[in-house]
């Protein structure tokens, strides 16, 4: 993140050059980085077990309630409490809360040794919910709900195709590669080779691509992040409270239900993470590339990445303490 900020602030024209490598609003280098980043975790999943995974109705209900009721409401009220006098920043934070995590949660879950099959199942469900509900959620949380608590409404038109395109690129492509590659390679080389040789070889791609993507993202807004540090700090307060609050709520709720550790981690990281790619895309599409709403979208991963990495370590410490 620091390297990206320095590149964007000190090397003239870098952010503009990266911006130009785009197709229909999708930044090609960032999209490639995210797709490669998500491929190894998805390649590990045995998709034949997904129907069995989803039989636990209590845990599935917990995840859906956390993601689609508690999470958006929690983020909205945090944004309203801390940023009601800065509606443009509040809008950006609310958009992050509405974009449920369908991408980097696979990385956090993988690093925390969570249940990769269950994590993939939850990601698949969240992606479907996101395609069909995000436009309605954006309208309700930015146009209707603010008026109920005495704030001004914001007219937001989020096209269905914008959400579907982002979900298809950032989730659909790595999913297809993960499923197709697994089937083809196991048939050609056998399950033992795929598990013991191929997966360990591609594993480092996740962290390498994560670092590459973060450098690119922060180079785009490096100068602005340095110039508007007060806004970064202001936005970081509700975001930090959200990430830690949602993870702890989910994790300890799962413990109360008696959920095993790997699946509990998958649910907790799914509840805590957010789809900043979609939030940024919507903010740019609706408010413009250089808007404060888009700026908040970029700040999202500035806060989320270290917060979720700390939670990865925290979850491992909790497990060792139990043992």
């Amino acid at each position: 993140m620091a390297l990206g900020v320095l590149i964007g602030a000190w090397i003239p024209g870098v952010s503009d050059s990266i911006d130009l490598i785009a197709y229909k609003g999708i930044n090609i280098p960032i999209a490639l980085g995210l797709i490669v980043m998500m491929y190894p975790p998805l390649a590990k999943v045995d998709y034949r077990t997904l129907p069995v995974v989803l039989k636990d109705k209590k845990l599935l209900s917990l995840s859906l309630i956390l993601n689609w009721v508690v999470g958006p409401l929690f983020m909205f009220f945090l944004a309203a409490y801390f940023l009601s006098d800065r509606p443009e920043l509040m809008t950006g934070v609310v958009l992050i809360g509405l974009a449920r995590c369908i991408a980097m949660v696979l990385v956090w879950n993988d690093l925390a040794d969570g249940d990769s099959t269950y994590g993939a199942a939850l990601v698949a469900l969240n992606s479907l919910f996101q395609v069909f509900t995000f436009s309605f959620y954006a309208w309700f949380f930015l146009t209707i709900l603010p008026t109920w608590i005495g704030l001004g409404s914001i007219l937001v038109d989020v096209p269905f195709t914008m959400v579907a395109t982002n979900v298809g690129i950032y989730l659909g492509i790595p999913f297809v590669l993960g499923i197709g590659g697994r089937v083809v390679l196991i048939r050609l080389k056998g399950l033992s080779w795929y598990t013991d040789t191929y997966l360990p070889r591609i594993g480092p791609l996740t962290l390498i691509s994560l670092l590459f993507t973060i450098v690119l993202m922060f180079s785009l807004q490096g100068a602005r992040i340095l110039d508007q540090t007060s806004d970064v700090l202001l936005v970081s307060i509700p975001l930090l409270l959200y990430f830690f609050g949602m993870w702890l709520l989910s994790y300890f709720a799962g413990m109360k239900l008696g959920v095993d550790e790997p699946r509990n981690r998958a649910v907790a990281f799914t509840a805590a993470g957010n789809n900043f790619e979609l939030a940024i895309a919507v903010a740019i599409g609706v408010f413009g590339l250089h808007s404060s709403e888009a700026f908040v979208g970029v700040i999202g991963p500035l806060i989320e990445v270290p917060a979720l990495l700390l939670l990865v370590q925290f979850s491992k410490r909790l497990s060792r303490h139990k043992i």
Side-chain angles (χ1 to χ4, degrees):
M1 289 186 287
L3 177 61
V5 169
L6 292 176
I7 290 173
W10 289 354
I11 302 179
V14 167
S15 60
D16 292 336
S17 298
I18 296 172
D19 268 339
L20 291 174
I21 311 173
Y23 178 74
K24 293 186 177 180
I26 303 297
N27 187 280
I28 304 301
I30 290 177
L32 289 175
L34 291 166
I35 290 168
V36 175
M37 177 187 74
M38 289 184 289
Y39 171 66
L42 287 168
K44 294 180 181 179
V45 177
D46 185 353
Y47 296 90
R48 295 172 300 178
T49 65
L50 290 182
V52 177
V53 167
L54 297 177
K55 283 186 177 180
D56 189 336
K57 298 297 189 296
K58 285 185 178 179
L59 186 58
L60 183 61
S61 298
L62 173 66
S63 179
L64 292 176
I65 290 170
L66 286 168
N67 273 284
W68 298 101
V69 180
V70 177
L73 285 172
F74 186 36
M75 187 71 98
F76 174 84
F77 285 109
L78 284 172
Y81 182 78
F82 288 102
L83 302 168
S84 59
D85 59 335
R86 298 289 301 276
E88 72 285 0
L89 299 183
M90 175 183 164
T91 299
V93 170
V94 171
L95 285 174
I96 292 174
L98 300 182
R100 310 312 302 161
C101 197
I102 63 168
M104 291 185 71
V105 64
L106 297 168
V107 178
W108 310 133
N109 188 48
D110 193 50
L111 293 175
D113 299 322
D115 188 317
S116 58
T117 303
Y118 203 81
L122 295 178
V123 163
L125 283 176
N126 277 347
S127 67
L128 290 174
F129 272 79
Q130 200 141 255
V131 169
F132 293 105
T133 64
F134 189 89
S135 296
F136 169 77
Y137 266 58
W139 168 77
F140 177 77
F141 278 90
L142 294 175
T143 304
I144 302 300
L145 190 54
T147 62
W148 294 358
I149 61 173
L151 298 175
S153 65
I154 301 165
L155 295 177
V156 177
D157 179 22
V158 183
F160 175 88
T161 53
M162 176 186 289
V163 182
T165 299
N166 279 273
V167 172
I169 290 172
Y170 298 125
L171 179 66
I173 293 175
F175 250 123
V176 170
L177 291 174
I179 295 172
R182 183 182 182 90
V183 172
V184 171
L185 290 174
I186 288 177
R187 284 182 179 177
L188 291 175
K189 305 286 286 186
L191 180 60
S192 177
W193 176 88
Y194 185 82
T195 303
D196 301 331
T197 303
Y198 181 71
L199 290 181
R201 285 181 182 174
I202 66 171
L205 288 175
T206 294
L207 285 176
I208 293 169
S209 301
L210 173 63
L211 294 172
F212 168 77
T213 305
I214 289 172
V215 170
L216 281 181
M217 291 188 65
F218 284 95
S219 67
L220 289 172
Q221 295 276 2
R224 190 171 181 184
I225 288 172
L226 292 177
D227 290 340
Q228 300 181 17
T229 52
S230 59
D231 285 351
V232 174
L233 293 173
L234 191 60
V235 168
S236 69
I237 298 171
L239 290 178
L240 281 172
L241 290 173
Y242 173 85
F243 294 133
F244 287 107
M246 284 298 296
W247 193 91
L248 292 169
L249 174 63
S250 174
Y251 186 85
F252 288 107
M255 284 182 59
K256 286 288 186 181
L257 291 176
V259 180
D260 60 271
E261 189 69 24
R263 287 193 302 159
N264 200 19
R265 291 179 187 176
V267 173
F269 283 104
T270 304
N274 289 90
N275 183 3
F276 60 80
E277 307 92 350
L278 178 59
I280 293 170
V282 170
I284 291 173
V286 176
F287 300 101
L289 177 62
H290 300 289
S291 65
S292 294
E293 291 83 358
F295 176 60
V296 172
V298 175
I299 295 174
L302 172 68
I303 310 303
E304 179 177 358
V305 170
L308 271 292
L309 284 173
L310 284 173
L311 288 170
V312 166
Q313 294 302 316
F314 181 62
S315 69
K316 290 184 175 182
R317 288 180 178 271
L318 283 177
S319 299
R320 285 198 296 268
H321 179 69
K322 290 176 185 176
I323 293 171

